[in-house]
Amino acid sequence: MIVHETELRVQYYETDQMGVVHHSNYIRYFEVGRTELIRRLGMSYRELEDSGTVMPITNVEVRYFYPARYDEMIRIKIVVKEMPKVRMVFHYEIYNETGKLLADGSTTLAFLNKETGRPQRTPEVMVRLLSGYFDV
Amino acid sequence: MIVHETELRVQYYETDQMGVVHHSNYIRYFEVGRTELIRRLGMSYRELEDSGTVMPITNVEVRYFYPARYDEMIRIKIVVKEMPKVRMVFHYEIYNETGKLLADGSTTLAFLNKETGRPQRTPEVMVRLLSGYFDV
Amino acid sequence: MIVHETELRVQYYETDQMGVVHHSNYIRYFEVGRTELIRRLGMSYRELEDSGTVMPITNVEVRYFYPARYDEMIRIKIVVKEMPKVRMVFHYEIYNETGKLLADGSTTLAFLNKETGRPQRTPEVMVRLLSGYFDV
Amino acid sequence: MIVHETELRVQYYETDQMGVVHHSNYIRYFEVGRTELIRRLGMSYRELEDSGTVMPITNVEVRYFYPARYDEMIRIKIVVKEMPKVRMVFHYEIYNETGKLLADGSTTLAFLNKETGRPQRTPEVMVRLLSGYFDV
Protein backbone atom coordinates (compact mmCIF):
# COMPACT_ATOMS: atom_id res chain seq x y z
CA MET A 1 0.00 0.00 0.00
CA ILE A 2 1.21 3.50 -0.80
CA VAL A 3 0.22 6.44 1.37
CA HIS A 4 1.29 9.93 0.45
CA GLU A 5 0.45 13.49 1.48
CA THR A 6 0.92 16.81 -0.27
CA GLU A 7 0.08 20.27 0.98
CA LEU A 8 -0.98 23.18 -1.16
CA ARG A 9 -2.42 26.61 -0.71
CA VAL A 10 -5.85 27.45 -2.12
CA GLN A 11 -5.60 30.26 -4.69
CA TYR A 12 -8.00 33.13 -5.25
CA TYR A 13 -8.65 32.08 -8.86
CA GLU A 14 -9.90 28.73 -7.58
CA THR A 15 -12.78 30.30 -5.66
CA ASP A 16 -16.18 31.14 -7.12
CA GLN A 17 -18.90 33.58 -6.15
CA MET A 18 -20.24 31.15 -3.54
CA GLY A 19 -17.13 32.31 -1.62
CA VAL A 20 -15.49 28.87 -1.64
CA VAL A 21 -13.39 26.71 -3.96
CA HIS A 22 -15.25 25.71 -7.13
CA HIS A 23 -15.95 21.98 -7.08
CA SER A 24 -14.09 21.31 -10.33
CA ASN A 25 -10.81 22.32 -8.70
CA TYR A 26 -10.78 19.34 -6.33
CA ILE A 27 -10.14 17.18 -9.39
CA ARG A 28 -7.12 19.38 -10.06
CA TYR A 29 -5.99 19.11 -6.45
CA PHE A 30 -6.16 15.33 -6.85
CA GLU A 31 -3.85 15.68 -9.84
CA VAL A 32 -1.36 17.81 -7.92
CA GLY A 33 -1.18 15.21 -5.17
CA ARG A 34 -0.98 12.31 -7.62
CA THR A 35 1.92 13.96 -9.44
CA GLU A 36 3.85 14.32 -6.19
CA LEU A 37 3.10 10.74 -5.19
CA ILE A 38 4.43 9.44 -8.50
CA ARG A 39 7.50 11.65 -8.18
CA ARG A 40 8.20 10.17 -4.74
CA LEU A 41 8.11 6.67 -6.21
CA GLY A 42 11.28 7.63 -8.06
CA MET A 43 10.10 8.69 -11.50
CA SER A 44 8.14 11.80 -12.36
CA TYR A 45 5.01 11.58 -14.46
CA ARG A 46 6.84 13.79 -16.96
CA GLU A 47 9.52 11.14 -17.30
CA LEU A 48 6.84 8.47 -17.67
CA GLU A 49 5.28 10.43 -20.56
CA ASP A 50 8.71 11.00 -22.09
CA SER A 51 9.28 7.23 -21.93
CA GLY A 52 6.18 6.67 -24.05
CA THR A 53 3.31 6.05 -21.62
CA VAL A 54 0.42 8.37 -20.86
CA MET A 55 -2.06 7.83 -18.05
CA PRO A 56 -5.46 9.24 -18.94
CA ILE A 57 -8.25 9.29 -16.37
CA THR A 58 -11.07 6.81 -16.94
CA ASN A 59 -13.12 7.44 -13.82
CA VAL A 60 -13.51 10.18 -11.19
CA GLU A 61 -15.61 10.26 -8.05
CA VAL A 62 -15.74 13.05 -5.50
CA ARG A 63 -17.84 13.52 -2.39
CA TYR A 64 -17.89 17.07 -0.99
CA PHE A 65 -18.42 17.49 2.75
CA TYR A 66 -17.17 20.99 3.61
CA PRO A 67 -15.88 23.71 1.31
CA ALA A 68 -12.22 24.65 1.00
CA ARG A 69 -11.65 28.38 1.34
CA TYR A 70 -9.26 30.90 -0.13
CA ASP A 71 -5.73 30.92 1.30
CA GLU A 72 -6.16 27.76 3.36
CA MET A 73 -3.34 25.25 3.33
CA ILE A 74 -5.04 22.01 2.41
CA ARG A 75 -3.63 18.52 2.71
CA ILE A 76 -4.17 15.92 0.00
CA LYS A 77 -3.82 12.40 1.32
CA ILE A 78 -3.61 9.66 -1.29
CA VAL A 79 -3.75 5.91 -0.86
CA VAL A 80 -3.00 3.32 -3.52
CA LYS A 81 -4.29 0.00 -2.26
CA GLU A 82 -3.49 -2.38 -5.06
CA MET A 83 -0.67 -3.10 -7.46
CA PRO A 84 -1.95 -1.85 -10.83
CA LYS A 85 -2.30 -4.23 -13.76
CA VAL A 86 -3.92 -2.30 -16.58
CA ARG A 87 -5.43 0.42 -14.43
CA MET A 88 -4.23 2.27 -11.34
CA VAL A 89 -6.68 3.42 -8.68
CA PHE A 90 -5.94 6.35 -6.37
CA HIS A 91 -8.02 7.18 -3.28
CA TYR A 92 -8.00 10.77 -2.02
CA GLU A 93 -8.90 12.65 1.11
CA ILE A 94 -8.60 16.43 1.32
CA TYR A 95 -8.25 18.04 4.75
CA ASN A 96 -8.09 21.67 5.78
CA GLU A 97 -5.65 23.17 8.30
CA THR A 98 -7.74 22.14 11.28
CA GLY A 99 -7.85 18.52 10.15
CA LYS A 100 -11.45 18.59 8.93
CA LEU A 101 -12.19 16.22 6.05
CA LEU A 102 -13.41 18.45 3.20
CA ALA A 103 -13.77 15.90 0.43
CA ASP A 104 -12.83 12.41 -0.59
CA GLY A 105 -12.81 10.58 -3.85
CA SER A 106 -11.01 8.33 -6.24
CA THR A 107 -9.64 8.31 -9.75
CA THR A 108 -8.85 5.41 -12.05
CA LEU A 109 -6.11 5.84 -14.63
CA ALA A 110 -5.28 3.67 -17.60
CA PHE A 111 -1.86 3.12 -19.12
CA LEU A 112 -1.77 4.00 -22.83
CA ASN A 113 0.99 3.80 -25.36
CA LYS A 114 1.62 7.46 -26.21
CA GLU A 115 2.17 6.80 -29.92
CA THR A 116 -0.57 4.29 -30.66
CA GLY A 117 -3.05 5.44 -28.02
CA ARG A 118 -3.67 1.78 -27.19
CA PRO A 119 -4.06 0.37 -23.67
CA GLN A 120 -1.05 -1.43 -22.24
CA ARG A 121 -0.11 -3.09 -18.99
CA THR A 122 1.73 -1.19 -16.27
CA PRO A 123 5.14 -0.28 -17.74
CA GLU A 124 8.05 -2.35 -16.42
CA VAL A 125 9.78 0.65 -14.90
CA MET A 126 6.62 1.45 -12.94
CA VAL A 127 6.22 -2.15 -11.80
CA ARG A 128 9.74 -2.07 -10.38
CA LEU A 129 9.10 1.20 -8.56
CA LEU A 130 5.82 -0.05 -7.14
CA SER A 131 6.81 -3.59 -6.24
CA GLY A 132 8.27 -2.67 -2.87
CA TYR A 133 4.93 -1.31 -1.72
CA PHE A 134 2.82 -4.36 -2.36
CA ASP A 135 2.88 -8.03 -1.41
CA VAL A 136 2.85 -9.70 -4.76
CA MET B 1 -38.54 13.32 -16.06
CA ILE B 2 -36.61 16.23 -17.50
CA VAL B 3 -34.39 15.78 -20.54
CA HIS B 4 -32.34 18.66 -21.85
CA GLU B 5 -29.49 19.17 -24.31
CA THR B 6 -26.95 21.95 -24.70
CA GLU B 7 -24.24 22.32 -27.29
CA LEU B 8 -20.91 24.00 -26.76
CA ARG B 9 -17.63 24.33 -28.52
CA VAL B 10 -14.45 22.98 -26.94
CA GLN B 11 -11.94 25.78 -26.32
CA TYR B 12 -8.18 25.68 -26.74
CA TYR B 13 -7.59 26.58 -23.08
CA GLU B 14 -9.52 23.46 -22.09
CA THR B 15 -7.02 21.12 -23.75
CA ASP B 16 -3.86 19.82 -22.14
CA GLN B 17 -0.59 18.50 -23.50
CA MET B 18 -2.13 15.07 -24.06
CA GLY B 19 -3.80 16.85 -26.99
CA VAL B 20 -7.33 16.44 -25.62
CA VAL B 21 -9.65 18.14 -23.14
CA HIS B 22 -8.36 17.96 -19.56
CA HIS B 23 -10.62 15.69 -17.52
CA SER B 24 -11.48 18.40 -14.97
CA ASN B 25 -13.28 20.39 -17.65
CA TYR B 26 -16.04 17.82 -18.09
CA ILE B 27 -17.24 18.84 -14.62
CA ARG B 28 -17.44 22.38 -15.97
CA TYR B 29 -19.28 21.21 -19.07
CA PHE B 30 -21.79 19.54 -16.75
CA GLU B 31 -22.27 22.90 -15.06
CA VAL B 32 -22.83 24.71 -18.38
CA GLY B 33 -25.52 22.21 -19.32
CA ARG B 34 -27.12 22.27 -15.88
CA THR B 35 -27.33 26.06 -15.96
CA GLU B 36 -29.15 25.95 -19.30
CA LEU B 37 -31.49 23.22 -18.10
CA ILE B 38 -32.46 25.29 -15.05
CA ARG B 39 -32.96 28.36 -17.23
CA ARG B 40 -35.31 26.40 -19.47
CA LEU B 41 -37.41 25.47 -16.45
CA GLY B 42 -38.30 29.14 -16.24
CA MET B 43 -35.88 30.55 -13.64
CA SER B 44 -32.17 31.04 -14.04
CA TYR B 45 -29.78 29.75 -11.42
CA ARG B 46 -28.73 33.39 -10.97
CA GLU B 47 -32.29 34.26 -10.00
CA LEU B 48 -32.38 31.28 -7.66
CA GLU B 49 -29.25 32.55 -5.89
CA ASP B 50 -30.67 36.07 -5.80
CA SER B 51 -33.80 34.65 -4.14
CA GLY B 52 -31.66 33.24 -1.33
CA THR B 53 -30.86 29.64 -2.29
CA VAL B 54 -27.52 28.24 -3.37
CA MET B 55 -27.02 24.75 -4.77
CA PRO B 56 -23.57 23.42 -3.90
CA ILE B 57 -22.40 20.11 -5.32
CA THR B 58 -22.21 17.22 -2.87
CA ASN B 59 -21.23 14.44 -5.25
CA VAL B 60 -19.66 14.07 -8.70
CA GLU B 61 -19.05 10.99 -10.79
CA VAL B 62 -17.59 10.88 -14.29
CA ARG B 63 -16.68 8.00 -16.56
CA TYR B 64 -14.46 8.88 -19.50
CA PHE B 65 -14.76 6.78 -22.67
CA TYR B 66 -13.26 8.88 -25.47
CA PRO B 67 -11.54 12.25 -25.32
CA ALA B 68 -13.15 15.48 -26.46
CA ARG B 69 -10.91 17.46 -28.79
CA TYR B 70 -10.28 21.11 -29.48
CA ASP B 71 -12.89 22.91 -31.57
CA GLU B 72 -15.42 20.07 -31.51
CA MET B 73 -19.04 20.96 -30.90
CA ILE B 74 -20.05 18.69 -28.06
CA ARG B 75 -23.54 17.94 -26.87
CA ILE B 76 -24.38 17.73 -23.17
CA LYS B 77 -27.48 15.67 -22.54
CA ILE B 78 -28.92 15.89 -19.03
CA VAL B 79 -31.64 13.81 -17.44
CA VAL B 80 -33.32 14.51 -14.11
CA LYS B 81 -35.21 11.39 -13.13
CA GLU B 82 -36.74 12.30 -9.81
CA MET B 83 -38.47 15.23 -8.18
CA PRO B 84 -35.90 16.61 -5.74
CA LYS B 85 -36.64 16.76 -2.04
CA VAL B 86 -33.48 17.93 -0.31
CA ARG B 87 -31.10 17.03 -3.10
CA MET B 88 -31.32 17.15 -6.87
CA VAL B 89 -29.58 14.55 -9.02
CA PHE B 90 -28.52 15.27 -12.61
CA HIS B 91 -27.36 12.56 -15.03
CA TYR B 92 -25.11 13.60 -17.91
CA GLU B 93 -23.96 12.23 -21.23
CA ILE B 94 -21.49 14.09 -23.41
CA TYR B 95 -21.42 13.35 -27.14
CA ASN B 96 -19.17 14.62 -29.89
CA GLU B 97 -20.31 15.78 -33.34
CA THR B 98 -20.45 12.26 -34.73
CA GLY B 99 -22.70 11.07 -31.90
CA LYS B 100 -20.02 9.13 -30.04
CA LEU B 101 -20.52 8.99 -26.27
CA LEU B 102 -17.40 10.61 -24.78
CA ALA B 103 -18.30 10.58 -21.11
CA ASP B 104 -21.17 10.16 -18.73
CA GLY B 105 -21.68 11.00 -15.11
CA SER B 106 -23.86 12.47 -12.43
CA THR B 107 -23.86 15.26 -9.90
CA THR B 108 -25.88 15.65 -6.74
CA LEU B 109 -26.69 19.15 -5.54
CA ALA B 110 -28.05 20.26 -2.19
CA PHE B 111 -30.27 23.26 -1.53
CA LEU B 112 -28.78 25.63 1.04
CA ASN B 113 -30.05 28.83 2.51
CA LYS B 114 -27.61 31.43 1.18
CA GLU B 115 -27.50 33.43 4.41
CA THR B 116 -27.35 30.65 7.00
CA GLY B 117 -25.60 28.04 4.87
CA ARG B 118 -28.04 25.47 6.23
CA PRO B 119 -29.68 22.75 4.16
CA GLN B 120 -33.28 23.33 3.16
CA ARG B 121 -35.91 21.56 1.10
CA THR B 122 -36.41 22.37 -2.57
CA PRO B 123 -37.58 26.00 -2.67
CA GLU B 124 -41.28 26.47 -3.43
CA VAL B 125 -40.62 28.32 -6.67
CA MET B 126 -38.49 25.41 -7.87
CA VAL B 127 -41.12 22.86 -6.86
CA ARG B 128 -43.70 24.71 -8.97
CA LEU B 129 -41.39 24.84 -11.98
CA LEU B 130 -40.53 21.17 -11.65
CA SER B 131 -43.94 19.77 -10.84
CA GLY B 132 -45.08 19.50 -14.43
CA TYR B 133 -42.23 17.15 -15.22
CA PHE B 134 -42.91 14.53 -12.61
CA ASP B 135 -45.83 12.38 -11.55
CA VAL B 136 -46.13 13.25 -7.91
CA MET C 1 -9.69 45.96 -41.51
CA ILE C 2 -11.51 43.03 -39.96
CA VAL C 3 -14.25 43.57 -37.40
CA HIS C 4 -15.91 40.62 -35.73
CA GLU C 5 -18.20 40.02 -32.76
CA THR C 6 -18.90 36.92 -30.71
CA GLU C 7 -21.32 36.50 -27.84
CA LEU C 8 -20.87 34.17 -24.92
CA ARG C 9 -22.42 33.54 -21.57
CA VAL C 10 -20.38 34.00 -18.38
CA GLN C 11 -20.10 30.73 -16.46
CA TYR C 12 -20.21 30.19 -12.71
CA TYR C 13 -16.77 28.60 -12.67
CA GLU C 14 -15.35 31.82 -14.15
CA THR C 15 -16.36 33.91 -11.14
CA ASP C 16 -14.31 34.32 -7.97
CA GLN C 17 -15.17 35.23 -4.41
CA MET C 18 -15.19 38.93 -5.28
CA GLY C 19 -18.52 37.99 -6.91
CA VAL C 20 -17.37 38.81 -10.45
CA VAL C 21 -15.41 37.16 -13.27
CA HIS C 22 -11.78 36.49 -12.36
CA HIS C 23 -9.52 38.77 -14.38
CA SER C 24 -7.59 35.88 -15.95
CA ASN C 25 -10.71 34.72 -17.78
CA TYR C 26 -10.87 37.80 -20.00
CA ILE C 27 -7.75 36.45 -21.71
CA ARG C 28 -9.73 33.28 -22.37
CA TYR C 29 -12.70 35.27 -23.66
CA PHE C 30 -10.31 36.97 -26.07
CA GLU C 31 -9.30 33.51 -27.29
CA VAL C 32 -12.91 32.43 -27.79
CA GLY C 33 -13.59 35.49 -29.91
CA ARG C 34 -10.34 35.15 -31.84
CA THR C 35 -11.13 31.53 -32.68
CA GLU C 36 -14.51 32.54 -34.09
CA LEU C 37 -13.01 35.43 -36.07
CA ILE C 38 -10.46 33.10 -37.67
CA ARG C 39 -13.20 30.58 -38.45
CA ARG C 40 -15.20 33.28 -40.20
CA LEU C 41 -12.23 34.04 -42.42
CA GLY C 42 -12.76 30.61 -43.91
CA MET C 43 -10.30 28.37 -42.08
CA SER C 44 -10.51 27.30 -38.47
CA TYR C 45 -7.52 27.66 -36.19
CA ARG C 46 -7.67 23.88 -35.82
CA GLU C 47 -7.13 23.52 -39.56
CA LEU C 48 -4.30 26.02 -39.40
CA GLU C 49 -2.58 23.92 -36.71
CA ASP C 50 -3.24 20.76 -38.71
CA SER C 51 -1.58 22.41 -41.69
CA GLY C 52 1.60 22.92 -39.66
CA THR C 53 1.39 26.42 -38.18
CA VAL C 54 0.83 27.35 -34.55
CA MET C 55 0.12 30.86 -33.34
CA PRO C 56 1.46 31.38 -29.81
CA ILE C 57 0.76 34.60 -27.95
CA THR C 58 3.71 36.96 -27.55
CA ASN C 59 1.97 39.87 -25.86
CA VAL C 60 -1.23 40.52 -23.91
CA GLU C 61 -2.66 43.74 -22.57
CA VAL C 62 -5.98 44.17 -20.77
CA ARG C 63 -7.60 47.19 -19.14
CA TYR C 64 -10.49 46.39 -16.81
CA PHE C 65 -13.22 49.02 -16.42
CA TYR C 66 -16.25 47.20 -15.02
CA PRO C 67 -16.61 43.58 -13.91
CA ALA C 68 -18.43 40.94 -15.91
CA ARG C 69 -20.92 39.01 -13.81
CA TYR C 70 -22.23 35.47 -13.71
CA ASP C 71 -24.79 34.55 -16.37
CA GLU C 72 -24.39 37.76 -18.37
CA MET C 73 -24.23 37.47 -22.14
CA ILE C 74 -21.10 39.36 -23.04
CA ARG C 75 -20.04 40.54 -26.46
CA ILE C 76 -16.45 40.28 -27.63
CA LYS C 77 -15.67 42.74 -30.39
CA ILE C 78 -12.38 42.21 -32.21
CA VAL C 79 -10.64 44.45 -34.69
CA VAL C 80 -7.62 43.52 -36.81
CA LYS C 81 -6.23 46.74 -38.23
CA GLU C 82 -3.24 45.57 -40.23
CA MET C 83 -2.31 42.78 -42.58
CA PRO C 84 0.01 40.54 -40.55
CA LYS C 85 3.57 39.93 -41.70
CA VAL C 86 5.29 37.91 -38.98
CA ARG C 87 2.88 38.84 -36.20
CA MET C 88 -0.86 39.39 -36.05
CA VAL C 89 -2.36 41.93 -33.67
CA PHE C 90 -5.93 41.65 -32.40
CA HIS C 91 -7.72 44.46 -30.54
CA TYR C 92 -10.57 43.53 -28.21
CA GLU C 93 -13.49 45.20 -26.50
CA ILE C 94 -15.80 43.32 -24.17
CA TYR C 95 -19.30 44.65 -23.58
CA ASN C 96 -22.09 43.47 -21.30
CA GLU C 97 -25.76 43.12 -22.24
CA THR C 98 -26.48 46.78 -21.65
CA GLY C 99 -23.67 47.88 -23.95
CA LYS C 100 -21.29 48.95 -21.20
CA LEU C 101 -17.60 48.55 -22.06
CA LEU C 102 -16.21 46.17 -19.43
CA ALA C 103 -12.66 45.74 -20.69
CA ASP C 104 -10.46 46.28 -23.68
CA GLY C 105 -7.09 44.96 -24.70
CA SER C 106 -4.91 43.47 -27.35
CA THR C 107 -2.93 40.35 -28.10
CA THR C 108 -0.05 39.80 -30.47
CA LEU C 109 0.43 36.36 -31.98
CA ALA C 110 3.41 34.97 -33.84
CA PHE C 111 3.34 32.37 -36.60
CA LEU C 112 5.52 29.37 -35.80
CA ASN C 113 6.31 26.24 -37.75
CA LYS C 114 4.70 23.52 -35.66
CA GLU C 115 7.52 21.02 -36.22
CA THR C 116 10.57 23.23 -35.89
CA GLY C 117 9.09 25.80 -33.51
CA ARG C 118 10.71 28.51 -35.60
CA PRO C 119 9.06 31.82 -36.54
CA GLN C 120 7.72 32.07 -40.06
CA ARG C 121 5.84 34.62 -42.12
CA THR C 122 2.05 34.53 -42.37
CA PRO C 123 1.17 31.26 -44.12
CA GLU C 124 0.07 31.63 -47.76
CA VAL C 125 -3.38 30.23 -47.08
CA MET C 126 -3.89 32.86 -44.38
CA VAL C 127 -2.61 35.66 -46.64
CA ARG C 128 -5.20 34.68 -49.25
CA LEU C 129 -8.01 34.64 -46.68
CA LEU C 130 -6.96 38.00 -45.26
CA SER C 131 -6.15 39.83 -48.45
CA GLY C 132 -9.72 40.91 -49.16
CA TYR C 133 -9.86 42.81 -45.90
CA PHE C 134 -6.85 45.01 -46.37
CA ASP C 135 -5.61 47.46 -49.02
CA VAL C 136 -2.22 46.07 -49.83
CA MET D 1 11.33 49.08 -3.19
CA ILE D 2 9.98 45.61 -2.50
CA VAL D 3 11.49 42.57 -4.19
CA HIS D 4 10.02 39.13 -3.62
CA GLU D 5 10.33 35.69 -5.17
CA THR D 6 8.03 32.67 -5.07
CA GLU D 7 8.57 29.27 -6.60
CA LEU D 8 5.85 27.00 -7.91
CA ARG D 9 5.55 23.88 -9.95
CA VAL D 10 3.76 23.92 -13.30
CA GLN D 11 0.75 21.60 -13.27
CA TYR D 12 -0.53 19.35 -16.04
CA TYR D 13 -3.92 21.07 -16.13
CA GLU D 14 -2.13 24.34 -16.92
CA THR D 15 -0.73 23.04 -20.20
CA ASP D 16 -2.57 23.08 -23.53
CA GLN D 17 -2.26 21.05 -26.70
CA MET D 18 0.65 23.21 -27.88
CA GLY D 19 2.54 21.21 -25.22
CA VAL D 20 3.28 24.24 -23.04
CA VAL D 21 1.54 26.34 -20.38
CA HIS D 22 -1.52 28.17 -21.70
CA HIS D 23 -0.82 31.89 -21.77
CA SER D 24 -3.77 32.75 -19.49
CA ASN D 25 -2.11 30.91 -16.61
CA TYR D 26 0.76 33.37 -16.33
CA ILE D 27 -1.79 35.87 -15.04
CA ARG D 28 -2.64 33.30 -12.36
CA TYR D 29 1.05 32.75 -11.58
CA PHE D 30 1.33 36.51 -11.08
CA GLU D 31 -1.50 36.25 -8.56
CA VAL D 32 0.17 33.41 -6.67
CA GLY D 33 3.36 35.44 -6.35
CA ARG D 34 1.51 38.62 -5.39
CA THR D 35 -0.38 36.79 -2.66
CA GLU D 36 2.88 35.55 -1.16
CA LEU D 37 4.49 38.99 -1.40
CA ILE D 38 1.57 40.56 0.46
CA ARG D 39 1.72 37.81 3.08
CA ARG D 40 5.41 38.53 3.64
CA LEU D 41 4.60 42.18 4.30
CA GLY D 42 2.84 40.96 7.43
CA MET D 43 -0.82 40.74 6.44
CA SER D 44 -2.36 38.23 4.10
CA TYR D 45 -4.62 39.38 1.30
CA ARG D 46 -7.33 37.31 2.97
CA GLU D 47 -6.99 39.46 6.09
CA LEU D 48 -7.07 42.60 3.95
CA GLU D 49 -10.37 41.47 2.39
CA ASP D 50 -11.71 40.55 5.82
CA SER D 51 -10.85 44.06 6.99
CA GLY D 52 -13.05 45.52 4.26
CA THR D 53 -10.75 46.25 1.31
CA VAL D 54 -10.64 44.40 -2.00
CA MET D 55 -7.96 44.91 -4.64
CA PRO D 56 -9.34 44.30 -8.13
CA ILE D 57 -7.04 44.35 -11.12
CA THR D 58 -7.35 47.35 -13.40
CA ASN D 59 -4.55 46.60 -15.85
CA VAL D 60 -2.51 43.58 -16.96
CA GLU D 61 0.40 43.37 -19.36
CA VAL D 62 2.38 40.24 -20.21
CA ARG D 63 5.19 39.64 -22.69
CA TYR D 64 5.90 35.99 -23.47
CA PHE D 65 9.47 35.05 -24.46
CA TYR D 66 9.75 31.29 -23.90
CA PRO D 67 7.10 28.79 -22.86
CA ALA D 68 6.89 27.28 -19.40
CA ARG D 69 6.57 23.51 -19.50
CA TYR D 70 4.83 20.88 -17.41
CA ASP D 71 6.50 19.96 -14.14
CA GLU D 72 9.06 22.77 -14.23
CA MET D 73 9.69 24.68 -11.03
CA ILE D 74 9.27 28.28 -12.08
CA ARG D 75 10.29 31.35 -10.14
CA ILE D 76 8.07 34.42 -9.95
CA LYS D 77 10.04 37.55 -9.15
CA ILE D 78 7.99 40.61 -8.22
CA VAL D 79 9.11 44.19 -7.78
CA VAL D 80 7.03 47.03 -6.33
CA LYS D 81 8.79 50.24 -7.17
CA GLU D 82 6.55 52.89 -5.68
CA MET D 83 4.52 53.46 -2.56
CA PRO D 84 0.90 53.05 -3.66
CA LYS D 85 -1.55 55.92 -3.29
CA VAL D 86 -4.80 54.82 -4.92
CA ARG D 87 -3.30 52.08 -7.07
CA MET D 88 -0.52 49.57 -6.53
CA VAL D 89 1.69 48.45 -9.41
CA PHE D 90 3.48 45.09 -9.40
CA HIS D 91 6.19 44.17 -11.92
CA TYR D 92 6.77 40.47 -12.63
CA GLU D 93 9.43 38.27 -14.14
CA ILE D 94 8.98 34.52 -14.51
CA TYR D 95 12.06 32.32 -14.79
CA ASN D 96 12.42 28.61 -15.35
CA GLU D 97 14.78 26.27 -13.47
CA THR D 98 17.74 27.17 -15.67
CA GLY D 99 17.30 30.88 -15.05
CA LYS D 100 15.83 31.69 -18.46
CA LEU D 101 13.38 34.58 -18.48
CA LEU D 102 10.09 33.13 -19.76
CA ALA D 103 7.81 36.14 -19.41
CA ASP D 104 7.53 39.50 -17.77
CA GLY D 105 4.66 41.84 -17.12
CA SER D 106 2.86 44.10 -14.72
CA THR D 107 -0.48 44.44 -13.01
CA THR D 108 -2.13 47.50 -11.52
CA LEU D 109 -4.54 46.99 -8.64
CA ALA D 110 -7.00 49.46 -7.14
CA PHE D 111 -8.13 49.60 -3.53
CA LEU D 112 -11.91 49.38 -3.20
CA ASN D 113 -14.16 49.48 -0.19
CA LYS D 114 -15.63 45.97 -0.11
CA GLU D 115 -19.11 47.12 0.94
CA THR D 116 -19.57 50.17 -1.26
CA GLY D 117 -17.37 49.09 -4.16
CA ARG D 118 -15.93 52.61 -4.24
CA PRO D 119 -12.25 53.43 -4.75
CA GLN D 120 -10.30 54.39 -1.66
CA ARG D 121 -6.74 55.28 -0.79
CA THR D 122 -4.28 52.64 0.39
CA PRO D 123 -5.64 51.38 3.74
CA GLU D 124 -3.75 52.64 6.80
CA VAL D 125 -2.68 49.15 7.83
CA MET D 126 -1.13 48.63 4.40
CA VAL D 127 0.61 52.01 4.48
CA ARG D 128 2.24 51.05 7.79
CA LEU D 129 3.38 47.68 6.41
CA LEU D 130 4.76 49.26 3.25
CA SER D 131 6.38 52.36 4.73
CA GLY D 132 9.62 50.64 5.66
CA TYR D 133 10.25 49.73 2.03
CA PHE D 134 10.02 53.18 0.54
CA ASP D 135 11.62 56.56 1.12
CA VAL D 136 8.63 58.75 1.69
Side-chain angles (χ1 to χ4, degrees), chain A residues 9 12-13 39 49 71, chain D residues 9 12 31 39 49 71:
Chain A
R9 192 175 295 276
Y12 204 87
Y13 60 77
R39 188 190 318 285
E49 279 208 351
D71 211 43
Chain D
R9 193 176 294 277
Y12 204 87
E31 184 175 274
R39 188 190 318 284
E49 279 209 350
D71 212 43

Side-chain angles (χ1 to χ4, degrees), chain D residues 104-132:
Chain D
D104 65 17
S106 65
T107 59
T108 305
L109 287 83
F111 297 99
L112 294 192
N113 182 296
K114 193 180 170 182
E115 296 310 316
T116 65
R118 298 185 70 85
Q120 55 174 70
R121 295 178 68 85
T122 311
E124 268 310 303
V125 58
M126 194 67 140
V127 170
R128 276 197 303 279
L129 294 171
L130 291 168
S131 57

Side-chain angles (χ1 to χ4, degrees), chain A residues 61-116:
Chain A
E61 291 184 30
V62 195
R63 297 187 301 169
Y64 303 88
F65 306 119
Y66 293 98
R69 294 179 187 281
Y70 168 57
D71 211 43
E72 286 189 317
M73 285 297 289
I74 58 171
R75 187 159 47 91
I76 306 158
K77 181 181 176 181
I78 310 187
V79 177
V80 179
K81 297 176 184 171
E82 289 188 358
M83 184 73 181
K85 292 196 182 62
V86 294
R87 291 175 189 275
M88 189 164 180
V89 182
F90 299 80
H91 298 273
Y92 307 85
E93 292 174 340
I94 295 184
Y95 296 91
N96 72 2
E97 296 171 14
T98 66
K100 195 183 226 176
L101 179 62
L102 304 182
D104 66 16
S106 66
T107 61
T108 305
L109 288 81
F111 296 99
L112 295 193
N113 182 297
K114 191 180 169 182
E115 297 309 317
T116 66

Side-chain angles (χ1 to χ4, degrees), chain D residues 47-82:
Chain D
E47 291 168 312
L48 188 70
E49 279 209 350
D50 289 347
S51 76
T53 299
V54 292
M55 293 180 66
I57 300 274
T58 63
N59 200 87
V60 164
E61 291 185 30
V62 194
R63 296 188 301 170
Y64 303 88
F65 306 119
Y66 294 97
R69 293 179 189 281
Y70 169 57
D71 212 43
E72 286 188 317
M73 285 296 289
I74 58 171
R75 186 160 47 90
I76 307 157
K77 180 180 176 182
I78 310 187
V79 176
V80 180
K81 297 176 183 172
E82 289 189 359

